[in-house]
Amino acid sequence: MDIERSISALNNPVRRQILEWLKDRSNFPPALPGHEDLEGVCVAYIQEKAKLSQSTISNYMGLLKQAGFVNAERHGQWTFYRRDEKNIQAFLAAVQDELLKS
Amino acid sequence: MDIERSISALNNPVRRQILEWLKDRSNFPPALPGHEDLEGVCVAYIQEKAKLSQSTISNYMGLLKQAGFVNAERHGQWTFYRRDEKNIQAFLAAVQDELLKS
DNA sequence: TCCATAAATCGAAATATCTCGATATATTGT
DNA sequence: ACAATATATCGAGATATTTCGATTTATGGA
């Protein structure tokens, strides 16, 4: 739990928006054929919704991953990103601790 | 509750450290004579502990104030800063909401 | 009024972040 | 092996943040 890296990753409205979108798979187009069982969303779908360049979104997802907010799973040529709820909880607990604990 | 501004203010280790120090008045030298009743801490004390320049700390306290994390109270030539626990709670609730609420 | 002190603001240099297009890498299908 | 597609990485320009010293403003005391 690197709080520095996590806050830095959250310090951008598009990255926060992506984390919100990822709460619900139905914010994106249907899964690609053969990947219906996967929870995650590919970079191209996220890019389309965020309306930023492919490289920017790839970079953003890398930052969110380093911060622990998402997991990446490669399947063939696609990387499927999904929220890591456990780490998100852990982050919230850590911030709460830092801001409130005596 | 401007979450953008709040996260931005927290996105700096010294500012987070200051918020932690302000949890406990005894992290700083005793109050100036005649101000023993005040909860807050003057800029000079914070600066001394943070070991950054006066202008930097004044700027930091301004950012923390704009974000709502601290209140400023002017008494004579001093500005006394203290945590705004209500707003800190509100911020935590808002982040929790943004990160978790469906 | 003049001086000293505290804090805020200004201007600037160094560093970091944002964002892009171009390129590289990995994988799949022909 | 080749072409097509998805993603990652690279290099760079624009913008923002960090941090400083110098200056300004506000206050209190001699």
Side-chain angles (χ1 to χ4, degrees):
Chain A
M1 176 74 289
D2 181 345
I3 210 169
E4 179 71 24
R5 178 164 283 183
S6 298
I7 290 180
S8 198
L10 284 187
N11 192 31
N12 176 291
V14 177
R15 287 195 294 266
R16 289 199 304 277
Q17 178 68 79
I18 291 170
L19 281 182
E20 295 210 70
W21 285 334
L22 287 176
K23 285 173 183 169
D24 186 353
R25 179 65 187 74
S26 79
N27 281 312
F28 301 94
L32 301 161
H35 294 112
E36 292 85 354
D37 51 328
L38 277 173
E39 181 57 14
V41 178
C42 68
V43 173
Y45 284 179
I46 299 169
Q47 186 204 340
E48 182 177 6
K49 229 172 141 59
K51 294 182 202 307
L52 288 176
S53 75
Q54 185 269 323
S55 63
T56 296
I57 298 303
S58 178
N59 173 29
Y60 280 10
M61 298 317 292
L63 293 175
L64 289 172
K65 183 162 125 66
Q66 281 179 48
F69 292 127
V70 299
N71 289 129
E73 210 172 320
R74 187 109 206 208
H75 281 249
Q77 46 191 160
W78 295 278
T79 304
F80 294 93
Y81 286 97
R82 67 183 197 290
R83 286 163 54 99
D84 186 327
E85 302 294 350
K86 245 198 172 57
N87 281 346
I88 290 173
Q89 292 275 6
F91 165 75
L92 285 170
V95 180
Q96 201 146 335
D97 221 67
E98 173 151 341
L99 281 181
L100 297 183
K101 215 177 82 184
S102 337
Chain B
M1 176 74 291
D2 179 346
I3 209 169
E4 180 71 23
R5 178 163 283 186
S6 298
I7 291 181
S8 200
L10 283 188
N11 193 30
N12 175 290
V14 176
R15 288 193 296 264
R16 289 199 303 278
Q17 177 69 78
I18 291 171
L19 282 181
E20 295 209 70
W21 285 334
L22 288 176
K23 285 174 185 170
D24 185 354
R25 180 65 187 72
S26 78
N27 281 312
F28 300 94
L32 300 162
H35 294 110
E36 292 86 354
D37 51 327
L38 277 172
E39 181 59 12
V41 178
C42 67
V43 173
Y45 284 180
I46 300 171
Q47 187 205 339
E48 183 177 6
K49 228 171 141 58
K51 294 181 201 306
L52 287 176
S53 75
Q54 185 271 323
S55 62
T56 297
I57 297 302
S58 179
N59 173 28
Y60 279 11
M61 298 318 293
L63 294 174
L64 289 172
K65 183 163 126 67
Q66 280 179 47
F69 292 127
V70 299
N71 290 130
E73 208 173 320
R74 187 112 208 209
H75 280 250
Q77 45 190 160
W78 295 279
T79 304
F80 294 91
Y81 287 98
R82 66 183 197 291
R83 287 163 53 100
D84 186 328
E85 302 294 349
K86 245 197 171 59
N87 280 346
I88 291 173
Q89 293 275 6
F91 164 75
L92 285 170
V95 180
Q96 202 146 332
D97 221 68
E98 173 152 341
L99 282 181
L100 297 182
K101 214 177 82 185
S102 334

